[in-house]
């Protein structure tokens, strides 16, 4: 009798596809949050597998800070055309113009926190009852508290002490009027799992993840990309570095790492021996010890 073997990547893939199908079955109007980063790219890949040969049965939402890497936007548009799915763009700039979000000022000004306002406005505008996110529990301590099906109240806020138990992969989507869920099919993946899966499936990713030359500014210990959104202050001088990015977000807060990894194999080897956490280069996570949890309680991703 043949022996059926399943490796850990296949097991993670199966679990995520199961969650994606549960979302399609249990919710009336779900959507997939897409940032253009590796995790949301893997999510779209898994969603395509989950419903193949049909198209992904829900739209993608991108919350555009207006300060994105141009490479991210170009990759997003190319992928959307390839998948043939609907893309909904929530604009932080529009939230600022209509007065629901207020632009930050000062040395550490960023639009990261403002994304929460735009995200909640977008969910409410389209009446989504579930928003699939690519967050993983290994990324950051606040994210370890999320369930697969993570409840949000009528204001879009998260209470980590008021979440549903999940026993034997039984997911409870019961909610009251106006409430919704965030769903995290990649909860049990690690950063290394993501890279190994990208390599195994040969998934296309933005070139920002590979080593390249870039003008950078070192600010408060973070190597930021020089851009029109990052005013140079006295004493700073952009210098060319050989870098790549481990995460991709707003240009004003996403730090690069010095690296010579130009292939997926080299990235996997680099991550396997890394002694700095994946989000160690994110300026938005350095604002306080509870920065991520504070944002998530307000309705962040």
């Amino acid at each position: 009798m043949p022996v059926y073997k399943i490796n850990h990547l296949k097991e993670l893939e199966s679990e995520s596809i199961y969650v994606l199908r549960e979302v399609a079955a249990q919710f009336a109007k779900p959507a997939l949050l897409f940032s253009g980063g590796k995790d949301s790219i893997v999510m779209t890949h898994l969603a395509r597998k989950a419903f193949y040969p049909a198209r992904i049965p829900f739209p993608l939402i991108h919350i555009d800070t207006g300060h994105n890497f141009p490479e991210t936007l170009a990759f997003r548009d190319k992928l959307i055309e390839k998948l043939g799915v609907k893309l909904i763009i929530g604009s932080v700039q529009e939230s600022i113009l209509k007065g629901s979000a207020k632009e930050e000022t000062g040395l550490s000004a960023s639009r990261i926190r403002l994304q929460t306002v735009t995200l909640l406005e977008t969910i409410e505008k389209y009446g989504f009852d579930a928003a699939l996110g690519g967050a993983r529990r290994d990324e950051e301590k606040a994210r370890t508290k999320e369930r697969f099906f993570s409840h949000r109240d009528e204001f879009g806020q998260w209470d980590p002490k008021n979440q549903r138990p999940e026993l034997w992969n039984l997911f409870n989507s019961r909610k009251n009027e106006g409430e919704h869920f965030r769903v995290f099919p990649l909860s049990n993946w690690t950063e290394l799992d993501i890279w190994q899966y990208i390599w195994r499936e040969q998934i296309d990713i933005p070139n920002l993840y590979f080593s390249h030359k870039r003008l950078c500014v070192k600010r408060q210990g973070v190597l930021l990309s020089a851009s029109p959104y990052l005013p140079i202050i006295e004493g700073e001088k952009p210098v060319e570095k050989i870098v790549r990015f481990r995460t991709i977000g707003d240009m004003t807060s996403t730090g690069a790492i010095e690296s010579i990894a130009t292939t997926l194999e080299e990235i996997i080897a680099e991550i396997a021996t890394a002694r700095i956490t994946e989000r160690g280069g994110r300026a938005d996570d350095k604002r306080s010890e509870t920065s991520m949890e504070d944002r998530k309680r307000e309705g962040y991703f």
Side-chain angles (χ1 to χ4, degrees), residues 27-46:
F27 291 94
K29 199 170 183 182
L32 192 155
L33 301 175
F34 184 82
S35 69
K38 62 186 184 303
D39 301 310
S40 58
I41 292 169
V42 167
M43 282 267 288
T44 58
H45 183 83
L46 291 164

Side-chain angles (χ1 to χ4, degrees), residues 128-287:
F128 293 121
D129 55 359
L132 289 148
R136 293 175 282 106
R137 289 177 179 142
D138 81 316
E139 283 184 84
E140 200 277 336
K141 57 189 176 185
R143 287 182 164 162
T144 65
K145 302 176 184 177
E146 294 275 21
R147 301 287 199 270
F148 278 100
F149 280 29
S150 210
H151 176 260
R152 298 298 192 268
D153 68 15
E154 65 270 34
F155 303 107
Q157 296 179 335
W158 175 60
D159 179 359
K161 295 181 180 177
N162 183 26
Q163 301 299 308
R164 311 282 170 74
E166 293 181 337
L167 305 175
W168 306 291
N169 285 342
L170 296 176
F171 303 123
N172 184 349
S173 63
R174 188 175 178 180
K175 61 180 178 52
N176 295 317
E177 183 70 25
E179 297 176 342
H180 70 274
F181 277 78
R182 302 289 171 79
V183 184
F184 303 103
L186 304 182
S187 290
N188 287 337
W189 295 59
T190 67
E191 182 188 14
L192 191 57
D193 294 329
I194 291 291
W195 282 113
Q196 290 174 330
Y197 189 72
I198 289 171
W199 173 78
R200 195 189 79 172
E201 300 285 308
Q202 291 297 293
I203 300 172
D204 195 21
I205 54 173
N207 56 14
L208 291 165
Y209 283 116
F210 299 101
S211 178
H212 58 281
K213 290 181 181 177
R214 180 172 289 268
L215 273 180
C216 296
V217 177
K218 193 161 191 177
R219 182 176 294 178
Q220 297 177 333
V222 179
L223 207 53
L224 297 169
S225 177
S227 76
Y229 316 121
L230 190 75
I232 301 301
I233 60 177
E234 187 176 352
E236 288 182 339
K237 183 180 179 182
V239 293
E240 191 173 77
K241 297 277 189 181
I242 306 295
V243 299
R244 70 175 196 86
F245 294 87
R246 286 175 71 179
T247 65
I248 294 180
D250 189 279
M251 289 187 79
T252 62
S253 60
T254 304
I257 59 167
E258 295 191 64
S259 168
I260 56 171
T262 57
T263 66
L264 290 174
E265 291 86 348
E266 289 172 347
I267 290 174
I268 289 169
E270 184 179 270
I271 296 300
T273 57
R275 291 293 178 266
I276 298 176
T277 63
E278 180 180 5
R279 295 185 67 93
R282 292 290 292 257
D284 44 313
D285 286 358
K286 295 178 182 294
R287 291 191 167 194

